[in-house]
Amino acid sequence: MSQRSKFGLVWVGIGLAAILGVAFTLWSNATRIPDMPREGDMAKFTVEERAPVQLSVTDLTGKPLVLEELYGPLLLVNVWATWCAPCVKELPTLRNLARDHGSDRLKVVTISIDRGGANVVRPFLAENGVEDLPVYLDPKGASMAAFTLRGLPTTLLLAPNGRELGRLDGVAVWCGAAAVALHKHYESLIFRTEAARP
């Protein structure tokens, strides 16, 4: 092989290495799990991994179910009451998150601990224009003890197997960019991991 041919092969090799390097960088950036968002209200989100809880609730028609029946997607669970002013303030943002970003990877549900059950909650939802909010009833307040809640509202993010990933105590805007970034972070983390399993 001539000196010129060897020289040409070296440059071809360098060119291929450069192309592969650029391709790998683009692929890495496209598949990289985003950093944990810490902006706005989501700065109050605390990572607290806990085991799944046993909790029975009913829907607005009185049909009983256990929380485990909702597992599968990421589950954003908000515990609230009609008499809790901060809860009332954030309910529309949860409704908007469920409407705009709910999917087979994210389900938004709320649990009312009102003692009056559906007789109190159903008219409240209508009066506040959030009838389409997914609501379950816990009139005995069992969710407070099950999740070890300190107050209302509290919103918990549960993995597809029910394990708690983290929580936010107090009111937050759940349809804002920071909240969307938070659940996208966990979607990337969990569903990318599941897709990689053999």
Side-chain angles (χ1 to χ4, degrees), residues 7-28:
F7 187 72
L9 286 175
V10 169
W11 278 107
V12 168
I14 291 171
L16 285 173
I19 291 170
L20 289 173
V22 170
F24 178 78
T25 300
L26 291 173
W27 175 84
S28 296

Side-chain angles (χ1 to χ4, degrees), residues 2-78:
S2 68
Q3 189 69 22
R4 173 179 280 182
S5 296
K6 289 180 181 177
F7 187 72
L9 286 175
V10 169
W11 278 107
V12 168
I14 291 171
L16 285 173
I19 291 170
L20 289 173
V22 170
F24 178 78
T25 300
L26 291 173
W27 175 84
S28 296
N29 288 338
T31 59
R32 184 177 65 86
I33 296 171
D35 296 331
M36 170 69 80
R38 290 291 183 188
E39 297 180 358
D41 291 336
M42 296 304 111
K44 299 183 289 185
F45 183 86
T46 58
V47 176
E48 297 185 28
E49 292 204 17
R50 303 183 187 199
V53 303
Q54 298 296 315
L55 180 63
S56 297
V57 294
T58 65
D59 66 15
L60 287 171
T61 69
K63 178 184 175 181
L65 78 157
V66 292
L67 191 63
E68 187 176 355
E69 294 178 55
L70 302 175
Y71 295 167
L74 280 171
L75 200 59
L76 191 75
V77 180
N78 176 267

Side-chain angles (χ1 to χ4, degrees), residues 12-165:
V12 168
I14 291 171
L16 285 173
I19 291 170
L20 289 173
V22 170
F24 178 78
T25 300
L26 291 173
W27 175 84
S28 296
N29 288 338
T31 59
R32 184 177 65 86
I33 296 171
D35 296 331
M36 170 69 80
R38 290 291 183 188
E39 297 180 358
D41 291 336
M42 296 304 111
K44 299 183 289 185
F45 183 86
T46 58
V47 176
E48 297 185 28
E49 292 204 17
R50 303 183 187 199
V53 303
Q54 298 296 315
L55 180 63
S56 297
V57 294
T58 65
D59 66 15
L60 287 171
T61 69
K63 178 184 175 181
L65 78 157
V66 292
L67 191 63
E68 187 176 355
E69 294 178 55
L70 302 175
Y71 295 167
L74 280 171
L75 200 59
L76 191 75
V77 180
N78 176 267
V79 184
W80 67 286
T82 59
W83 44 261
C84 164
C87 301
V88 175
K89 180 180 179 182
E90 79 174 349
L91 284 179
T93 74
L94 288 158
R95 185 269 318 275
N96 292 345
L97 178 66
R99 181 190 62 203
D100 298 338
H101 298 283
S103 68
D104 59 347
R105 292 187 170 190
L106 176 71
K107 185 177 182 72
V108 179
V109 299
T110 67
I111 299 175
S112 161
I113 64 166
D114 285 276
R115 292 182 180 179
N119 291 335
V120 172
V121 174
R122 195 188 298 276
F124 171 87
L125 296 174
E127 289 167 12
N128 288 274
V130 288
E131 301 98 322
D132 53 344
L133 184 69
V135 176
Y136 294 93
L137 305 173
D138 173 26
K140 294 184 178 178
S143 53
M144 296 293 291
F147 289 120
T148 320
L149 303 187
R150 294 184 286 268
L152 297 179
T154 298
T155 306
L156 309 106
L157 186 64
L158 307 184
N161 63 0
R163 188 181 80 256
E164 182 181 336
L165 299 169

